[in-house]
Amino acid sequence: MDVLWLWRTKLGSRDKIDSTDSHSPESPSLSSRSSLLASDVGLIVRAEHPNPFLVLGPHRSEEEPGVAIRVFQPQAEQVTILWGNHDEEHPAMRIDPAGFYEAIIPLAGGAPAAETSPSHYRLRITEVSGQTYETYDPYAFPPLLTDYDLYLLGEGTHFQNYEKLGAHVREVSGVRGVHFGVWAPNAMRVSVVGDFNRWDGRVNPMRARPTGVWEIFLPGMGEGDLYKFEIRSRTGEMLTLKSDPYGFAAEVRPKSSSVVAAIDGHKWEDAEWMSQRAHFDWQRAPISICELHFGSWRRGPDGRWLTYTEMADELIPYIKQMGYTHIELLPLTEHPLDASWGYQTIGYFAVTSRYGSPHEFMDFVDRCHQAGIGVLFDWTPGHFPRDAHGLAYFDGTYLYEHADPRRGSHPDWGTLIFNYGRNEVQNFLLSNALFWLDKYHIDGLRVDAVASMLYLDYSRRPGEWLPNQFGGRENLEAIAFLKRMNEVVHARHPGVLTVAEESTAWPAVSRPTYVGGLGFDLKWNMGWMNDTLRYFSLDPIHRKFHHGELTFSMLYAFNENFVLPLSHDEVVHGKRSLLAKMPGDDWSKFANLRLLFGYFFSHPGKKLLFMGSELAPWSEWRENASLDWNLLEFPPHQGIQRLVTDLNHLYRREPALHEVEFDWPGFQWLEVHDADASVLAFIRRGRRPEDFLVIVCNFTPVIREDYRVGVPERGFYQEIMNTDSSFYGGSNVGNGGGVAADPVPWNDQESSIKLILPPLSALIFEPKRD
């Protein structure tokens, strides 16, 4: 790269600069040195120049043959150019008292030096304080984003734009530094600011590129440096300081600077897991998820958060012991408010620094995979907070959000809603989804608040929302985005799961897009959850009048690929813990909770259980404290933990409980009408005819003797689960390990078994094979 190339790149066809000086008209240095630079110098000094690379850095000298190197350093007392391999010293002249310097480097015969590159010279800067340092000139380096990059960014199809925008440690022309890129199409000027330039936005203004992208390479910067973008809008709004939307790390709240982080280079040791995941037959596999909030699962003795490394040491063995197949992490993207639990995201590409570094989180995921545990990630493309350093009003305009609050403001959470119809915003979110799968090997995305994305009138009164182009309430842009997200994720990462938290009757959420669905793999069954918890909160004497609240779920159980969620949302905000929801005295509460878990694990659908539910806490979950592990000192709580452990392992071991969860061949009613006794009985089947289980649930505290239930074949039925067992804290009423079938037709079956139904219990029977 020679000086002539630099001249052509930086000046193009422009040979002269407007001579009008708007900053220092009486400056003798300007008139004597280079009056042609006056207006541009003024714009540089005021940080208003639309393209500082046209002025700063190396340029062809107009006064004499050679290279004019121009530098703006407000804190500099003296600037010297160290030229060439021998560091020839060329003192720069101050041509504006604000700190604008220029040096003319003569070249032999007026010809450019062919070997000149951005690293051919350095700047020696002596500050007013007396400190002296040397650095390469940021304005000597060419743009790094290609025209193809810019085209894809504008089109919204740059699915790895996180490799281009944000902050990336690079080596350019042998010089180490950081390349910065940001999308701010309505900015008049964008600068990178940080400790390295005293947070002075005049020092490092960026290069404007087509499609509204800005970029600059800052030599000498490296991993761990703090930075933000200072943005001056074309609208005349005041300067704003913004965190990097594509930043890989950030300071711990309440600080809000982005942090340069190099996230490549982790030595992954999960190749076997990743290879198997690509062929994962998730529909027929057991999926039992422990939903987890990282900061409150367990804390250190001083109440501090555990780090990613400490959590790997403690959490992974516990999850293995409990029998879960996956963990689902409440959002670990960077967020300013602890009480939001991570759902109000600021740094969509930054794993929160509360618990450690990006590489430490990679190691956490890696160790989960090596232990056979999948990791799902809570993802929040539905809304973002209004914090001044975030995405809101990013470049002085409504860039990521809608301008009209009837489309852009979320009434429930006080947050902002993405403009899904804008290519660049869609690209931001699509690439973010892919980023976690690509860089962190995440096994699935649980998409938060899908219902709020689908409906324009979600949680709004008449007059508070705008209809779509056809006059309807459907958010067509959000629907198109969700479909596209699912298509791209599944095409690029086979075996990865996408899960919708969707609480309405929107059809085909978990059906492929080519048949008109949204393309998710799984959908949370909020109807089952609400009906079931409402039923269990009733005094058993009244349950016979609400029998349909249990049986209703089977009318739609196979309309979607459902996950049964007993999530964090059900144990906060005055809803009470699961144990506290149960009616009656303490014995009844624990018995009801055991019954709930037995019914939960035997009902069709993949499973999700919030952390700590196995401890049977009396109080609601708190994000600012550890789970109540001390409860395990008491036998009733120990019993619940043992029960959840055994149910998890039973669910994984028995094909009848997990192989056919999304179609009628996996389920058959035996007793559905006995509302007076509040008893349900049904069969769960696997893919092979011989794989079936009989489940009987008694939802009252009454012991029912000689209760007959039909079974599909003769033989001995072993009682493989009894939630009333004394091992789990129950009264130990049961069937002595099993019963033999009688040739008595019952429940449309040719044979039947006569049972003792323990109080508030779930029983599971398996035909004994020779």
Side-chain angles (χ1 to χ4, degrees):
M1 184 185 303
D2 57 25
V3 171
L4 183 60
W5 184 92
L6 287 171
W7 292 336
R8 288 172 176 167
T9 299
K10 296 155 78 63
L11 289 175
S13 61
R14 173 182 177 181
D15 292 326
K16 293 188 177 181
I17 302 174
D18 189 354
S19 61
T20 304
D21 178 16
S22 59
H23 171 68
S24 182
E26 299 178 359
S27 170
S29 59
L30 281 173
S31 59
S32 63
R33 184 67 177 174
S34 182
S35 60
L36 292 178
L37 287 172
S39 66
D40 286 86
V41 169
L43 292 172
I44 290 292
V45 167
R46 295 194 305 274
E48 295 176 354
H49 203 289
N51 195 344
F53 281 80
L54 292 178
V55 180
L56 300 174
H59 297 268
R60 179 174 52 198
S61 172
E62 296 291 333
E63 283 74 21
E64 56 187 278
V67 177
I69 297 177
R70 303 177 188 125
V71 178
F72 179 58
Q73 285 288 332
Q75 300 295 326
E77 180 74 21
Q78 181 180 350
V79 175
T80 302
I81 310 301
L82 304 178
W83 182 263
N85 296 329
H86 301 291
D87 288 346
E88 299 173 10
E89 296 189 8
H90 296 269
M93 179 177 292
R94 184 199 296 264
I95 62 172
D96 187 281
F100 194 101
Y101 293 82
E102 183 183 52
I104 306 296
I105 312 299
L107 298 177
E115 74 278 4
T116 301
S117 73
S119 60
H120 192 69
Y121 72 92
R122 302 191 312 283
L123 308 176
R124 178 186 293 156
I125 298 171
T126 300
E127 297 186 339
V128 176
S129 64
Q131 178 184 357
T132 298
Y133 64 93
E134 294 180 3
T135 183
Y136 289 97
D137 186 358
Y139 297 93
F141 290 84
L144 300 184
L145 296 177
T146 67
D147 290 341
Y148 188 55
D149 288 326
L150 298 174
Y151 174 79
L152 293 179
L153 289 169
E155 188 182 52
T157 57
H158 204 313
F159 296 139
Q160 291 180 301
N161 60 11
Y162 50 84
E163 301 279 12
K164 304 297 180 177
L165 302 180
H168 300 273
V169 178
R170 297 277 191 265
E171 183 173 306
V172 180
S173 298
V175 178
R176 294 282 290 178
V178 176
H179 176 256
F180 295 91
V182 66
W183 177 58
N186 300 300
M188 185 180 75
R189 187 260 300 170
V190 181
S191 300
V192 184
V193 295
D195 292 336
F196 54 91
N197 60 17
R198 293 184 173 84
W199 300 89
D200 189 340
R202 300 174 297 168
V203 178
N204 293 126
M206 303 173 75
R207 183 197 306 267
R209 303 297 308 278
T211 70
V213 172
W214 301 74
E215 68 168 315
I216 192 171
F217 176 75
L218 295 184
M221 286 193 65
E223 194 165 8
D225 285 344
L226 305 180
Y227 70 98
K228 281 187 177 181
F229 294 117
E230 183 182 274
I231 300 176
R232 181 184 293 277
S233 176
R234 296 182 189 276
T235 64
E237 299 286 342
M238 60 183 292
L239 286 175
T240 57
L241 280 176
K242 293 291 187 177
S243 299
D244 185 355
Y246 288 86
F248 294 151
E251 292 183 290
V252 178
R253 56 77 179 130
K255 297 180 180 179
S256 58
S257 294
S258 298
V259 181
V260 176
I263 63 172
D264 292 324
H266 178 78
K267 298 182 68 173
W268 290 92
E269 298 180 11
D270 62 349
E272 182 179 357
W273 171 274
M274 297 295 284
S275 175
Q276 292 176 355
R277 190 186 74 181
H279 308 286
F280 181 36
D281 187 6
W282 58 269
Q283 291 195 354
R284 297 184 175 93
I287 295 180
S288 181
I289 305 163
C290 178
E291 188 189 35
L292 191 105
H293 179 261
F294 223 89
S296 60
W297 180 74
R298 181 172 286 164
R299 295 210 169 184
D302 54 355
R304 65 170 177 83
W305 296 311
L306 297 184
T307 66
Y308 293 121
T309 301
E310 291 170 330
M311 282 289 281
D313 292 340
E314 297 193 27
L315 176 67
I316 292 174
Y318 183 77
I319 294 295
K320 289 283 288 183
Q321 171 195 328
M322 290 297 301
Y324 291 105
T325 63
H326 293 71
I327 58 173
E328 181 183 301
L329 303 173
L330 269 63
L332 281 178
T333 42
E334 196 57 79
H335 53 282
L337 180 65
D338 292 355
S340 76
W341 314 329
Y343 286 99
Q344 296 195 10
T345 296
I346 286 287
Y348 274 81
F349 292 82
V351 67
T352 181
S353 55
R354 287 167 172 81
Y355 317 118
S357 70
H359 283 283
E360 288 170 334
F361 180 61
M362 289 178 187
D363 185 64
F364 171 84
V365 175
D366 202 351
R367 290 174 61 181
C368 284
H369 287 172
Q370 293 173 52
I373 300 167
V375 181
L376 308 181
F377 204 70
D378 233 330
W379 188 50
T380 59
H383 61 110
F384 60 92
R386 299 173 183 264
D387 297 66
H389 64 283
L391 298 177
Y393 212 60
F394 188 77
D395 62 358
T397 66
Y398 300 98
L399 188 63
Y400 286 89
E401 68 273 36
H402 284 277
D404 193 320
R406 292 173 295 178
R407 293 289 298 273
S409 179
H410 201 295
D412 286 347
W413 304 312
T415 51
L416 298 172
I417 300 171
F418 284 103
N419 183 352
Y420 303 105
R422 188 161 194 167
N423 287 346
E424 297 89 344
V425 174
Q426 274 207 28
N427 202 169
F428 172 79
L429 293 171
L430 284 170
S431 66
N432 183 243
L434 295 171
F435 169 80
W436 294 103
L437 309 177
D438 176 24
K439 297 297 184 181
Y440 287 92
H441 290 199
I442 296 298
D443 301 299
L445 300 172
R446 179 266 195 186
V447 183
D448 180 60
V450 171
S452 73
M453 300 171 66
L454 296 176
Y455 297 97
L456 296 169
D457 63 345
Y458 183 86
S459 199
R460 298 178 190 272
R461 294 188 295 267
E464 295 180 346
W465 60 281
L466 295 176
N468 62 34
Q469 65 203 64
F470 303 109
R473 60 197 285 252
E474 299 81 11
N475 190 334
L476 301 180
E477 292 87 357
I479 294 165
F481 162 72
L482 290 171
K483 289 182 175 182
R484 190 178 184 210
M485 182 275 295
N486 280 308
E487 290 169 349
V488 171
V489 163
H490 290 126
R492 290 174 170 254
H493 296 276
V496 159
L497 296 174
T498 59
V499 186
E501 185 217 11
E502 204 285 311
S503 55
T504 73
W506 187 280
V509 171
S510 57
R511 296 293 181 260
T513 58
Y514 58 77
V515 297
L518 293 182
F520 287 94
D521 297 305
L522 296 161
K523 172 184 172 175
W524 276 24
N525 194 336
M526 309 293 279
W528 174 90
M529 177 273 298
N530 283 311
D531 288 346
T532 300
L533 292 182
R534 184 167 53 247
Y535 178 89
F536 268 86
S537 69
L538 298 171
D539 189 303
I541 199 171
H542 301 302
R543 286 178 177 174
K544 64 180 180 179
F545 304 110
H546 300 268
H547 198 64
E549 293 189 28
L550 285 185
T551 61
F552 180 67
S553 66
M554 292 312 302
L555 295 180
Y556 60 87
F558 308 120
N559 291 350
E560 301 276 4
N561 300 331
F562 279 123
V563 175
L564 307 183
L566 293 174
S567 74
H568 68 280
D569 280 325
E570 310 319 314
V571 292
V572 291
H573 299 325
K575 296 180 183 179
R576 298 175 295 168
S577 70
L578 292 181
L579 181 63
K581 293 178 196 289
M582 301 297 127
D585 57 16
D586 287 358
W587 183 93
S588 297
K589 287 181 180 294
F590 279 97
N592 270 294
L593 186 58
R594 291 192 298 269
L595 170 57
L596 172 63
F597 288 146
Y599 176 64
F600 167 71
F601 275 96
S602 57
H603 191 285
K606 306 305 182 186
K607 319 303 178 194
L608 180 139
L609 190 60
F610 185 52
M611 66 174 193
S613 298
E614 75 278 8
L615 307 180
W618 289 101
S619 59
E620 291 185 347
W621 168 60
R622 308 173 305 280
E623 88 282 342
N624 58 357
S626 173
L627 296 178
D628 297 326
W629 294 99
N630 60 298
L631 293 175
L632 293 178
E633 298 173 8
F634 305 99
H637 300 271
Q638 295 172 8
I640 297 290
Q641 186 190 49
R642 284 195 291 265
L643 175 65
V644 173
T645 301
D646 287 353
L647 286 169
N648 258 325
H649 287 286
L650 181 67
Y651 170 69
R652 297 179 66 170
R653 183 176 72 245
E654 292 293 339
L657 290 178
H658 64 252
E659 281 191 344
V660 190
E661 301 210 74
F662 306 131
D663 204 353
W664 276 110
F667 181 90
Q668 180 182 356
W669 281 119
L670 292 173
E671 180 55 74
V672 65
H673 299 299
D674 193 359
D676 285 340
S678 296
V679 171
L680 289 179
F682 51 90
I683 296 174
R684 290 297 312 280
R685 297 184 186 276
R687 298 171 67 191
R688 301 185 307 169
E690 62 269 27
D691 289 331
F692 71 90
L693 300 173
V694 174
I695 294 94
V696 186
C697 298
N698 177 14
F699 295 94
T700 70
V702 178
I703 299 175
R704 302 194 181 276
E705 298 184 357
D706 299 330
Y707 194 94
R708 189 169 291 277
V709 175
V711 291
E713 62 183 50
R714 298 284 298 275
F716 187 82
Y717 284 79
Q718 185 176 359
E719 189 179 77
I720 61 174
M721 171 54 64
N722 179 351
T723 62
D724 190 53
S725 166
S726 60
F727 184 66
Y728 307 128
S731 58
N732 216 34
V733 175
N735 294 276
V739 292
D742 302 320
V744 177
W746 207 266
N747 301 133
D748 296 325
Q749 306 295 312
E750 294 184 356
S751 303
S752 58
I753 52 179
K754 186 184 292 186
L755 303 173
I756 298 174
L757 303 187
L760 296 169
S761 65
L763 305 177
I764 301 179
F765 295 90
E766 180 178 42
K768 188 173 182 181
R769 308 293 182 184
D770 293 333

